Amino acid sequence: MSETAVSASPEQAPAEVASTTPYRAPLLLRSGHAQSIWPSLFRRVDLCEPEAEAIVTPDDDELWLDWYRQGSDRVVVVCHGLEGHSRRPYVQGLARALLATGWDVLAWNYRSCGGVMNRQPRFYHSGATEDLDVVVRHGLGQGYQAMALAGFSMGGNLALQYLGEQGERVDSRIAGAVNFSVPCDLAGGADVLALPSRRLYMSRFIRDLKPKMAEKARRFPELITMEGYDRIRTFHQFDERYTAPLHGFASAQDYWHRASSLFRLRDIRVPALIVNAADDPFLSPACFPGDPGVLGAWTQLETTRHGGHVGFVQYGRGGWYWSEQRAVDYLGALVR
């Protein structure tokens, strides 16, 4: 696929993609929508309180981190999803599994996430790799011998985009990355979420973003206005009006193209795993790249028949979800 490739119609369900990795969903959760909604409503993770830290960015902003340390010489940096934060159940579930298998964990919050509004007019976006680089360098500065990245949804795209940009320059201590439910084709994902059948998800994102944008407009009225916000219905409209201009992109389309990891996968030079469910209601067909010319030599795609978006629910096994077991197995094989 070339960099100018156009996504297939969003009406073409990703469920047409064949499963390539085993995951047996509970009988009552064999629906992409059920898998996507269930964990956010019902999952609770018993985990120790993290050590919070704020670090300063080169442009005088700050990023808030949650550390889970147990004296390990290896650490995983965990990247959350859109409008998520470092204490969401899917982040804490993975942190618990990683701690149980010998890792330290650094879960970080993007600008404006985690309950603290950032200082600059900009907030976060799917290609904000400069912030991830600040976190990675800070983590490596703690003396770890090995580091891995883990990302969920937007965080998976961010981690892959970062590794693609690093290319041959990637720090030798970064062993690899594991990512789940990755919208690596941002334009196609925006088209999918604009469908009437996805209105539930889209309206929640727009609703959750509203108070943040209102606070930004209060602080920076010369740059941001809330006039007409309630008429926004899609990422096409939100990203065109806010994300693109606030972060130096010419348009929403320019942002989606430049921030989509799909076009950077072939530049990655450490082992990187993408696990996407065929019934994920957020992903376009292009988020399941099978062409080795797109994936490159270091990136591996696995698909599951079920799993939804950041779901992969599993009962038993100490409360671990299937994705957490897959993550520790994959990363454990990279760092022994």
mmCIF file of all heavy atoms in Angstrom, residues 221-266:
data_model
loop_
_atom_site.group_PDB
_atom_site.id
_atom_site.type_symbol
_atom_site.label_atom_id
_atom_site.label_comp_id
_atom_site.label_asym_id
_atom_site.label_seq_id
_atom_site.Cartn_x
_atom_site.Cartn_y
_atom_site.Cartn_z
ATOM 1 N N PRO A 221 -8.757 32.474 24.614
ATOM 2 C CA PRO A 221 -9.888 32.892 23.770
ATOM 3 C C PRO A 221 -9.469 33.399 22.395
ATOM 4 O O PRO A 221 -10.280 33.394 21.468
ATOM 5 C CB PRO A 221 -10.553 33.998 24.597
ATOM 6 C CG PRO A 221 -9.470 34.498 25.506
ATOM 7 C CD PRO A 221 -8.636 33.297 25.828
ATOM 8 N N GLU A 222 -8.223 33.822 22.253
ATOM 9 C CA GLU A 222 -7.755 34.298 20.956
ATOM 10 C C GLU A 222 -7.487 33.158 19.976
ATOM 11 O O GLU A 222 -7.389 33.366 18.771
ATOM 12 C CB GLU A 222 -6.472 35.130 21.139
ATOM 13 C CG GLU A 222 -5.223 34.349 21.500
ATOM 14 C CD GLU A 222 -5.134 33.890 22.956
ATOM 15 O OE1 GLU A 222 -6.114 34.099 23.722
ATOM 16 O OE2 GLU A 222 -4.087 33.332 23.338
ATOM 17 N N LEU A 223 -7.395 31.933 20.496
ATOM 18 C CA LEU A 223 -7.099 30.761 19.663
ATOM 19 C C LEU A 223 -8.268 29.793 19.538
ATOM 20 O O LEU A 223 -8.385 29.090 18.524
ATOM 21 C CB LEU A 223 -5.899 29.995 20.244
ATOM 22 C CG LEU A 223 -4.545 30.700 20.266
ATOM 23 C CD1 LEU A 223 -3.514 29.819 20.971
ATOM 24 C CD2 LEU A 223 -4.086 31.014 18.849
ATOM 25 N N ILE A 224 -9.103 29.712 20.565
ATOM 26 C CA ILE A 224 -10.108 28.650 20.636
ATOM 27 C C ILE A 224 -11.465 29.246 20.989
ATOM 28 O O ILE A 224 -11.571 30.090 21.878
ATOM 29 C CB ILE A 224 -9.706 27.597 21.693
ATOM 30 C CG1 ILE A 224 -8.326 27.007 21.375
ATOM 31 C CG2 ILE A 224 -10.744 26.481 21.789
ATOM 32 C CD1 ILE A 224 -7.730 26.202 22.508
ATOM 33 N N THR A 225 -12.495 28.785 20.306
ATOM 34 C CA THR A 225 -13.859 29.195 20.620
ATOM 35 C C THR A 225 -14.752 27.973 20.735
ATOM 36 O O THR A 225 -14.527 26.961 20.064
ATOM 37 C CB THR A 225 -14.418 30.144 19.543
ATOM 38 O OG1 THR A 225 -15.788 30.454 19.857
ATOM 39 C CG2 THR A 225 -14.368 29.497 18.163
ATOM 40 N N MET A 226 -15.743 28.086 21.569
ATOM 41 C CA MET A 226 -16.714 27.008 21.718
ATOM 42 C C MET A 226 -17.971 27.263 20.888
ATOM 43 O O MET A 226 -18.906 26.453 20.918
ATOM 44 C CB MET A 226 -17.092 26.851 23.182
ATOM 45 C CG MET A 226 -15.971 26.320 24.056
ATOM 46 S SD MET A 226 -15.446 24.659 23.564
ATOM 47 C CE MET A 226 -16.860 23.692 24.122
ATOM 48 N N GLU A 227 -17.999 28.336 20.161
ATOM 49 C CA GLU A 227 -19.170 28.636 19.342
ATOM 50 C C GLU A 227 -19.431 27.507 18.347
ATOM 51 O O GLU A 227 -18.547 27.111 17.589
ATOM 52 C CB GLU A 227 -18.961 29.943 18.582
ATOM 53 C CG GLU A 227 -20.173 30.365 17.766
ATOM 54 C CD GLU A 227 -19.948 31.671 17.033
ATOM 55 O OE1 GLU A 227 -18.900 32.310 17.247
ATOM 56 O OE2 GLU A 227 -20.821 32.036 16.222
ATOM 57 N N GLY A 228 -20.628 26.967 18.369
ATOM 58 C CA GLY A 228 -21.000 25.901 17.459
ATOM 59 C C GLY A 228 -20.512 24.520 17.855
ATOM 60 O O GLY A 228 -20.694 23.558 17.095
ATOM 61 N N TYR A 229 -19.899 24.374 19.063
ATOM 62 C CA TYR A 229 -19.371 23.064 19.448
ATOM 63 C C TYR A 229 -20.459 22.004 19.451
ATOM 64 O O TYR A 229 -20.218 20.851 19.048
ATOM 65 C CB TYR A 229 -18.714 23.134 20.831
ATOM 66 C CG TYR A 229 -18.005 21.838 21.198
ATOM 67 C CD1 TYR A 229 -16.648 21.669 20.943
ATOM 68 C CD2 TYR A 229 -18.692 20.768 21.782
ATOM 69 C CE1 TYR A 229 -15.992 20.481 21.260
ATOM 70 C CE2 TYR A 229 -18.057 19.583 22.100
ATOM 71 C CZ TYR A 229 -16.707 19.443 21.834
ATOM 72 O OH TYR A 229 -16.070 18.247 22.130
ATOM 73 N N ASP A 230 -21.638 22.333 19.893
ATOM 74 C CA ASP A 230 -22.703 21.334 20.014
ATOM 75 C C ASP A 230 -23.197 20.831 18.661
ATOM 76 O O ASP A 230 -23.992 19.883 18.610
ATOM 77 C CB ASP A 230 -23.871 21.903 20.821
ATOM 78 C CG ASP A 230 -23.516 22.081 22.296
ATOM 79 O OD1 ASP A 230 -22.591 21.392 22.775
ATOM 80 O OD2 ASP A 230 -24.149 22.921 22.965
ATOM 81 N N ARG A 231 -22.738 21.426 17.584
ATOM 82 C CA ARG A 231 -23.085 20.918 16.255
ATOM 83 C C ARG A 231 -22.059 19.922 15.727
ATOM 84 O O ARG A 231 -22.259 19.333 14.674
ATOM 85 C CB ARG A 231 -23.224 22.096 15.269
ATOM 86 C CG ARG A 231 -24.416 23.000 15.561
ATOM 87 C CD ARG A 231 -24.715 23.927 14.398
ATOM 88 N NE ARG A 231 -23.644 24.895 14.181
ATOM 89 C CZ ARG A 231 -23.559 26.076 14.778
ATOM 90 N NH1 ARG A 231 -24.475 26.435 15.687
ATOM 91 N NH2 ARG A 231 -22.567 26.904 14.514
ATOM 92 N N ILE A 232 -20.962 19.741 16.479
ATOM 93 C CA ILE A 232 -19.938 18.774 16.071
ATOM 94 C C ILE A 232 -20.454 17.362 16.331
ATOM 95 O O ILE A 232 -20.930 17.046 17.414
ATOM 96 C CB ILE A 232 -18.622 19.019 16.835
ATOM 97 C CG1 ILE A 232 -18.006 20.351 16.402
ATOM 98 C CG2 ILE A 232 -17.635 17.874 16.609
ATOM 99 C CD1 ILE A 232 -16.750 20.723 17.166
ATOM 100 N N ARG A 233 -20.343 16.515 15.328
ATOM 101 C CA ARG A 233 -20.846 15.147 15.435
ATOM 102 C C ARG A 233 -19.783 14.095 15.134
ATOM 103 O O ARG A 233 -19.980 12.918 15.456
ATOM 104 C CB ARG A 233 -22.021 14.940 14.455
ATOM 105 C CG ARG A 233 -23.239 15.811 14.763
ATOM 106 C CD ARG A 233 -23.952 15.319 16.011
ATOM 107 N NE ARG A 233 -25.160 16.083 16.277
ATOM 108 C CZ ARG A 233 -25.211 17.195 17.013
ATOM 109 N NH1 ARG A 233 -24.094 17.665 17.575
ATOM 110 N NH2 ARG A 233 -26.348 17.840 17.208
ATOM 111 N N THR A 234 -18.686 14.480 14.478
ATOM 112 C CA THR A 234 -17.708 13.501 14.012
ATOM 113 C C THR A 234 -16.285 13.999 14.236
ATOM 114 O O THR A 234 -16.051 15.184 14.474
ATOM 115 C CB THR A 234 -17.877 13.223 12.505
ATOM 116 O OG1 THR A 234 -17.533 14.418 11.774
ATOM 117 C CG2 THR A 234 -19.302 12.802 12.178
ATOM 118 N N PHE A 235 -15.327 13.078 14.105
ATOM 119 C CA PHE A 235 -13.925 13.481 14.150
ATOM 120 C C PHE A 235 -13.547 14.319 12.937
ATOM 121 O O PHE A 235 -12.602 15.119 13.012
ATOM 122 C CB PHE A 235 -13.016 12.255 14.250
ATOM 123 C CG PHE A 235 -12.925 11.680 15.635
ATOM 124 C CD1 PHE A 235 -13.055 10.323 15.843
ATOM 125 C CD2 PHE A 235 -12.702 12.506 16.729
ATOM 126 C CE1 PHE A 235 -12.972 9.791 17.122
ATOM 127 C CE2 PHE A 235 -12.615 11.985 18.020
ATOM 128 C CZ PHE A 235 -12.747 10.623 18.211
ATOM 129 N N HIS A 236 -14.242 14.149 11.818
ATOM 130 C CA HIS A 236 -13.993 15.015 10.669
ATOM 131 C C HIS A 236 -14.151 16.474 11.090
ATOM 132 O O HIS A 236 -13.320 17.325 10.754
ATOM 133 C CB HIS A 236 -14.967 14.697 9.534
ATOM 134 C CG HIS A 236 -14.912 13.287 9.036
ATOM 135 N ND1 HIS A 236 -15.504 12.243 9.711
ATOM 136 C CD2 HIS A 236 -14.348 12.748 7.929
ATOM 137 C CE1 HIS A 236 -15.306 11.120 9.044
ATOM 138 N NE2 HIS A 236 -14.595 11.390 7.960
ATOM 139 N N GLN A 237 -15.199 16.757 11.827
ATOM 140 C CA GLN A 237 -15.468 18.128 12.251
ATOM 141 C C GLN A 237 -14.561 18.555 13.402
ATOM 142 O O GLN A 237 -14.004 19.663 13.399
ATOM 143 C CB GLN A 237 -16.944 18.249 12.659
ATOM 144 C CG GLN A 237 -17.909 17.987 11.522
ATOM 145 C CD GLN A 237 -19.333 17.762 12.020
ATOM 146 O OE1 GLN A 237 -19.567 17.161 13.072
ATOM 147 N NE2 GLN A 237 -20.309 18.237 11.242
ATOM 148 N N PHE A 238 -14.386 17.684 14.402
ATOM 149 C CA PHE A 238 -13.575 18.046 15.571
ATOM 150 C C PHE A 238 -12.119 18.257 15.177
ATOM 151 O O PHE A 238 -11.485 19.249 15.580
ATOM 152 C CB PHE A 238 -13.681 16.967 16.645
ATOM 153 C CG PHE A 238 -12.920 17.313 17.896
ATOM 154 C CD1 PHE A 238 -13.533 18.021 18.919
ATOM 155 C CD2 PHE A 238 -11.584 16.948 18.052
ATOM 156 C CE1 PHE A 238 -12.833 18.378 20.069
ATOM 157 C CE2 PHE A 238 -10.881 17.295 19.198
ATOM 158 C CZ PHE A 238 -11.506 18.012 20.205
ATOM 159 N N ASP A 239 -11.560 17.327 14.414
ATOM 160 C CA ASP A 239 -10.144 17.440 14.075
ATOM 161 C C ASP A 239 -9.877 18.599 13.115
ATOM 162 O O ASP A 239 -8.813 19.223 13.180
ATOM 163 C CB ASP A 239 -9.649 16.125 13.465
ATOM 164 C CG ASP A 239 -9.537 15.012 14.501
ATOM 165 O OD1 ASP A 239 -9.493 15.328 15.707
ATOM 166 O OD2 ASP A 239 -9.500 13.828 14.114
ATOM 167 N N GLU A 240 -10.829 18.883 12.233
ATOM 168 C CA GLU A 240 -10.669 20.016 11.332
ATOM 169 C C GLU A 240 -10.673 21.329 12.105
ATOM 170 O O GLU A 240 -9.887 22.239 11.801
ATOM 171 C CB GLU A 240 -11.803 20.015 10.300
ATOM 172 C CG GLU A 240 -11.651 21.053 9.195
ATOM 173 C CD GLU A 240 -10.582 20.692 8.184
ATOM 174 O OE1 GLU A 240 -10.285 19.483 8.007
ATOM 175 O OE2 GLU A 240 -10.030 21.621 7.565
ATOM 176 N N ARG A 241 -11.521 21.408 13.110
ATOM 177 C CA ARG A 241 -11.681 22.665 13.845
ATOM 178 C C ARG A 241 -10.650 22.847 14.951
ATOM 179 O O ARG A 241 -10.189 23.971 15.193
ATOM 180 C CB ARG A 241 -13.079 22.729 14.452
ATOM 181 C CG ARG A 241 -13.338 24.016 15.217
ATOM 182 C CD ARG A 241 -14.781 24.159 15.588
ATOM 183 N NE ARG A 241 -15.006 25.372 16.356
ATOM 184 C CZ ARG A 241 -16.200 25.761 16.800
ATOM 185 N NH1 ARG A 241 -17.271 25.040 16.523
ATOM 186 N NH2 ARG A 241 -16.331 26.866 17.490
ATOM 187 N N TYR A 242 -10.276 21.776 15.640
ATOM 188 C CA TYR A 242 -9.406 21.907 16.804
ATOM 189 C C TYR A 242 -8.054 21.207 16.641
ATOM 190 O O TYR A 242 -7.002 21.843 16.766
ATOM 191 C CB TYR A 242 -10.113 21.364 18.049
ATOM 192 C CG TYR A 242 -11.324 22.150 18.458
ATOM 193 C CD1 TYR A 242 -12.598 21.588 18.380
ATOM 194 C CD2 TYR A 242 -11.211 23.456 18.936
ATOM 195 C CE1 TYR A 242 -13.728 22.306 18.773
ATOM 196 C CE2 TYR A 242 -12.339 24.185 19.325
ATOM 197 C CZ TYR A 242 -13.583 23.602 19.237
ATOM 198 O OH TYR A 242 -14.694 24.313 19.614
ATOM 199 N N THR A 243 -8.062 19.901 16.430
ATOM 200 C CA THR A 243 -6.807 19.147 16.457
ATOM 201 C C THR A 243 -5.804 19.650 15.432
ATOM 202 O O THR A 243 -4.638 19.904 15.778
ATOM 203 C CB THR A 243 -7.071 17.653 16.221
ATOM 204 O OG1 THR A 243 -8.121 17.201 17.079
ATOM 205 C CG2 THR A 243 -5.819 16.843 16.488
ATOM 206 N N ALA A 244 -6.234 19.806 14.193
ATOM 207 C CA ALA A 244 -5.297 20.203 13.138
ATOM 208 C C ALA A 244 -4.672 21.575 13.389
ATOM 209 O O ALA A 244 -3.436 21.690 13.454
ATOM 210 C CB ALA A 244 -5.990 20.147 11.776
ATOM 211 N N PRO A 245 -5.457 22.634 13.555
ATOM 212 C CA PRO A 245 -4.828 23.952 13.719
ATOM 213 C C PRO A 245 -4.015 24.111 14.995
ATOM 214 O O PRO A 245 -2.996 24.813 15.002
ATOM 215 C CB PRO A 245 -6.017 24.921 13.696
ATOM 216 C CG PRO A 245 -7.221 24.098 14.023
ATOM 217 C CD PRO A 245 -6.931 22.747 13.474
ATOM 218 N N LEU A 246 -4.428 23.454 16.088
ATOM 219 C CA LEU A 246 -3.702 23.601 17.344
ATOM 220 C C LEU A 246 -2.374 22.856 17.357
ATOM 221 O O LEU A 246 -1.500 23.138 18.186
ATOM 222 C CB LEU A 246 -4.562 23.114 18.515
ATOM 223 C CG LEU A 246 -5.681 24.054 18.966
ATOM 224 C CD1 LEU A 246 -6.566 23.375 20.000
ATOM 225 C CD2 LEU A 246 -5.105 25.358 19.524
ATOM 226 N N HIS A 247 -2.199 21.921 16.415
ATOM 227 C CA HIS A 247 -0.992 21.098 16.430
ATOM 228 C C HIS A 247 -0.185 21.199 15.144
ATOM 229 O O HIS A 247 0.676 20.361 14.872
ATOM 230 C CB HIS A 247 -1.363 19.641 16.732
ATOM 231 C CG HIS A 247 -2.051 19.470 18.049
ATOM 232 N ND1 HIS A 247 -3.421 19.415 18.175
ATOM 233 C CD2 HIS A 247 -1.567 19.388 19.316
ATOM 234 C CE1 HIS A 247 -3.746 19.285 19.456
ATOM 235 N NE2 HIS A 247 -2.640 19.267 20.167
ATOM 236 N N GLY A 248 -0.461 22.215 14.353
ATOM 237 C CA GLY A 248 0.389 22.484 13.202
ATOM 238 C C GLY A 248 0.098 21.695 11.947
ATOM 239 O O GLY A 248 0.961 21.600 11.065
ATOM 240 N N PHE A 249 -1.120 21.161 11.827
ATOM 241 C CA PHE A 249 -1.504 20.438 10.617
ATOM 242 C C PHE A 249 -2.370 21.335 9.736
ATOM 243 O O PHE A 249 -3.109 22.194 10.236
ATOM 244 C CB PHE A 249 -2.267 19.164 10.970
ATOM 245 C CG PHE A 249 -1.468 18.186 11.786
ATOM 246 C CD1 PHE A 249 -1.662 18.072 13.161
ATOM 247 C CD2 PHE A 249 -0.504 17.379 11.187
ATOM 248 C CE1 PHE A 249 -0.923 17.179 13.923
ATOM 249 C CE2 PHE A 249 0.242 16.477 11.946
ATOM 250 C CZ PHE A 249 0.028 16.380 13.314
ATOM 251 N N ALA A 250 -2.289 21.122 8.439
ATOM 252 C CA ALA A 250 -3.024 21.970 7.502
ATOM 253 C C ALA A 250 -4.523 21.701 7.533
ATOM 254 O O ALA A 250 -5.325 22.588 7.241
ATOM 255 C CB ALA A 250 -2.487 21.764 6.083
ATOM 256 N N SER A 251 -4.906 20.481 7.885
ATOM 257 C CA SER A 251 -6.311 20.073 7.869
ATOM 258 C C SER A 251 -6.433 18.758 8.611
ATOM 259 O O SER A 251 -5.428 18.128 8.982
ATOM 260 C CB SER A 251 -6.795 19.885 6.429
ATOM 261 O OG SER A 251 -6.078 18.824 5.803
ATOM 262 N N ALA A 252 -7.670 18.307 8.797
ATOM 263 C CA ALA A 252 -7.874 16.989 9.406
ATOM 264 C C ALA A 252 -7.249 15.896 8.554
ATOM 265 O O ALA A 252 -6.605 14.975 9.078
ATOM 266 C CB ALA A 252 -9.369 16.728 9.604
ATOM 267 N N GLN A 253 -7.416 15.996 7.244
ATOM 268 C CA GLN A 253 -6.842 14.980 6.357
ATOM 269 C C GLN A 253 -5.324 14.960 6.459
ATOM 270 O O GLN A 253 -4.701 13.887 6.463
ATOM 271 C CB GLN A 253 -7.285 15.237 4.916
ATOM 272 C CG GLN A 253 -8.745 14.934 4.626
ATOM 273 C CD GLN A 253 -9.064 13.449 4.632
ATOM 274 O OE1 GLN A 253 -8.162 12.607 4.531
ATOM 275 N NE2 GLN A 253 -10.344 13.112 4.745
ATOM 276 N N ASP A 254 -4.702 16.143 6.540
ATOM 277 C CA ASP A 254 -3.253 16.216 6.691
ATOM 278 C C ASP A 254 -2.838 15.584 8.016
ATOM 279 O O ASP A 254 -1.851 14.822 8.082
ATOM 280 C CB ASP A 254 -2.814 17.685 6.638
ATOM 281 C CG ASP A 254 -1.311 17.856 6.802
ATOM 282 O OD1 ASP A 254 -0.551 17.179 6.080
ATOM 283 O OD2 ASP A 254 -0.895 18.662 7.663
ATOM 284 N N TYR A 255 -3.555 15.877 9.071
ATOM 285 C CA TYR A 255 -3.278 15.266 10.376
ATOM 286 C C TYR A 255 -3.390 13.754 10.320
ATOM 287 O O TYR A 255 -2.471 13.030 10.744
ATOM 288 C CB TYR A 255 -4.231 15.850 11.419
ATOM 289 C CG TYR A 255 -4.436 15.009 12.660
ATOM 290 C CD1 TYR A 255 -3.354 14.553 13.412
ATOM 291 C CD2 TYR A 255 -5.720 14.669 13.087
ATOM 292 C CE1 TYR A 255 -3.544 13.785 14.553
ATOM 293 C CE2 TYR A 255 -5.919 13.908 14.222
ATOM 294 C CZ TYR A 255 -4.824 13.465 14.956
ATOM 295 O OH TYR A 255 -5.018 12.694 16.074
ATOM 296 N N TRP A 256 -4.487 13.249 9.793
ATOM 297 C CA TRP A 256 -4.683 11.799 9.744
ATOM 298 C C TRP A 256 -3.580 11.119 8.948
ATOM 299 O O TRP A 256 -3.101 10.050 9.331
ATOM 300 C CB TRP A 256 -6.046 11.470 9.144
ATOM 301 C CG TRP A 256 -7.202 11.947 9.962
ATOM 302 C CD1 TRP A 256 -7.236 12.180 11.308
ATOM 303 C CD2 TRP A 256 -8.502 12.286 9.473
ATOM 304 N NE1 TRP A 256 -8.471 12.621 11.695
ATOM 305 C CE2 TRP A 256 -9.271 12.699 10.600
ATOM 306 C CE3 TRP A 256 -9.104 12.273 8.219
ATOM 307 C CZ2 TRP A 256 -10.604 13.094 10.487
ATOM 308 C CZ3 TRP A 256 -10.431 12.666 8.108
ATOM 309 C CH2 TRP A 256 -11.166 13.075 9.225
ATOM 310 N N HIS A 257 -3.188 11.718 7.857
ATOM 311 C CA HIS A 257 -2.164 11.097 7.020
ATOM 312 C C HIS A 257 -0.808 11.082 7.733
ATOM 313 O O HIS A 257 -0.132 10.045 7.781
ATOM 314 C CB HIS A 257 -2.036 11.835 5.693
ATOM 315 C CG HIS A 257 -0.981 11.263 4.793
ATOM 316 N ND1 HIS A 257 -1.146 10.081 4.097
ATOM 317 C CD2 HIS A 257 0.273 11.689 4.504
ATOM 318 C CE1 HIS A 257 -0.048 9.821 3.408
ATOM 319 N NE2 HIS A 257 0.831 10.781 3.645
ATOM 320 N N ARG A 258 -0.426 12.208 8.284
ATOM 321 C CA ARG A 258 0.900 12.321 8.888
ATOM 322 C C ARG A 258 1.009 11.591 10.221
ATOM 323 O O ARG A 258 2.113 11.194 10.631
ATOM 324 C CB ARG A 258 1.268 13.796 9.063
ATOM 325 C CG ARG A 258 1.551 14.490 7.752
ATOM 326 C CD ARG A 258 1.568 16.007 7.872
ATOM 327 N NE ARG A 258 2.526 16.482 8.874
ATOM 328 C CZ ARG A 258 2.622 17.742 9.263
ATOM 329 N NH1 ARG A 258 1.789 18.653 8.748
ATOM 330 N NH2 ARG A 258 3.519 18.104 10.171
ATOM 331 N N ALA A 259 -0.119 11.382 10.913
ATOM 332 C CA ALA A 259 -0.091 10.736 12.226
ATOM 333 C C ALA A 259 -0.483 9.267 12.188
ATOM 334 O O ALA A 259 -0.474 8.609 13.234
ATOM 335 C CB ALA A 259 -1.008 11.484 13.194
ATOM 336 N N SER A 260 -0.819 8.722 11.030
ATOM 337 C CA SER A 260 -1.205 7.308 10.930
ATOM 338 C C SER A 260 0.036 6.425 10.903
ATOM 339 O O SER A 260 0.869 6.532 9.992
ATOM 340 C CB SER A 260 -2.037 7.066 9.668
ATOM 341 O OG SER A 260 -3.312 7.626 9.783
ATOM 342 N N SER A 261 0.145 5.524 11.865
ATOM 343 C CA SER A 261 1.313 4.643 11.911
ATOM 344 C C SER A 261 1.358 3.661 10.752
ATOM 345 O O SER A 261 2.403 3.057 10.487
ATOM 346 C CB SER A 261 1.345 3.888 13.241
ATOM 347 O OG SER A 261 0.198 3.073 13.398
ATOM 348 N N LEU A 262 0.233 3.500 10.046
ATOM 349 C CA LEU A 262 0.195 2.584 8.901
ATOM 350 C C LEU A 262 1.336 2.861 7.930
ATOM 351 O O LEU A 262 1.902 1.930 7.348
ATOM 352 C CB LEU A 262 -1.151 2.741 8.177
ATOM 353 C CG LEU A 262 -1.409 1.825 6.980
ATOM 354 C CD1 LEU A 262 -1.521 0.376 7.435
ATOM 355 C CD2 LEU A 262 -2.677 2.253 6.261
ATOM 356 N N PHE A 263 1.688 4.108 7.785
ATOM 357 C CA PHE A 263 2.705 4.488 6.815
ATOM 358 C C PHE A 263 4.115 4.486 7.405
ATOM 359 O O PHE A 263 5.079 4.809 6.714
ATOM 360 C CB PHE A 263 2.389 5.874 6.238
ATOM 361 C CG PHE A 263 0.985 5.983 5.715
ATOM 362 C CD1 PHE A 263 0.144 6.998 6.155
ATOM 363 C CD2 PHE A 263 0.481 5.059 4.812
ATOM 364 C CE1 PHE A 263 -1.163 7.097 5.682
ATOM 365 C CE2 PHE A 263 -0.820 5.146 4.340
ATOM 366 C CZ PHE A 263 -1.646 6.168 4.771
ATOM 367 N N ARG A 264 4.225 4.128 8.675
ATOM 368 C CA ARG A 264 5.523 4.081 9.344
ATOM 369 C C ARG A 264 5.919 2.669 9.776
ATOM 370 O O ARG A 264 7.036 2.459 10.266
ATOM 371 C CB ARG A 264 5.492 4.973 10.585
ATOM 372 C CG ARG A 264 5.582 6.456 10.301
ATOM 373 C CD ARG A 264 6.993 6.843 9.865
ATOM 374 N NE ARG A 264 7.178 8.279 9.840
ATOM 375 C CZ ARG A 264 8.333 8.870 9.595
ATOM 376 N NH1 ARG A 264 9.405 8.131 9.368
ATOM 377 N NH2 ARG A 264 8.429 10.184 9.582
ATOM 378 N N LEU A 265 5.024 1.719 9.644
ATOM 379 C CA LEU A 265 5.291 0.372 10.147
ATOM 380 C C LEU A 265 6.554 -0.214 9.532
ATOM 381 O O LEU A 265 7.348 -0.871 10.215
ATOM 382 C CB LEU A 265 4.101 -0.545 9.877
ATOM 383 C CG LEU A 265 2.768 -0.156 10.541
ATOM 384 C CD1 LEU A 265 1.672 -1.140 10.128
ATOM 385 C CD2 LEU A 265 2.906 -0.109 12.062
ATOM 386 N N ARG A 266 6.740 0.015 8.255
ATOM 387 C CA ARG A 266 7.892 -0.580 7.575
ATOM 388 C C ARG A 266 9.226 0.004 8.039
ATOM 389 O O ARG A 266 10.291 -0.551 7.746
ATOM 390 C CB ARG A 266 7.758 -0.412 6.062
ATOM 391 C CG ARG A 266 7.679 1.014 5.582
ATOM 392 C CD ARG A 266 7.615 1.056 4.060
ATOM 393 N NE ARG A 266 7.434 2.416 3.565
ATOM 394 C CZ ARG A 266 6.251 2.953 3.301
ATOM 395 N NH1 ARG A 266 5.144 2.243 3.503
ATOM 396 N NH2 ARG A 266 6.165 4.191 2.834
#
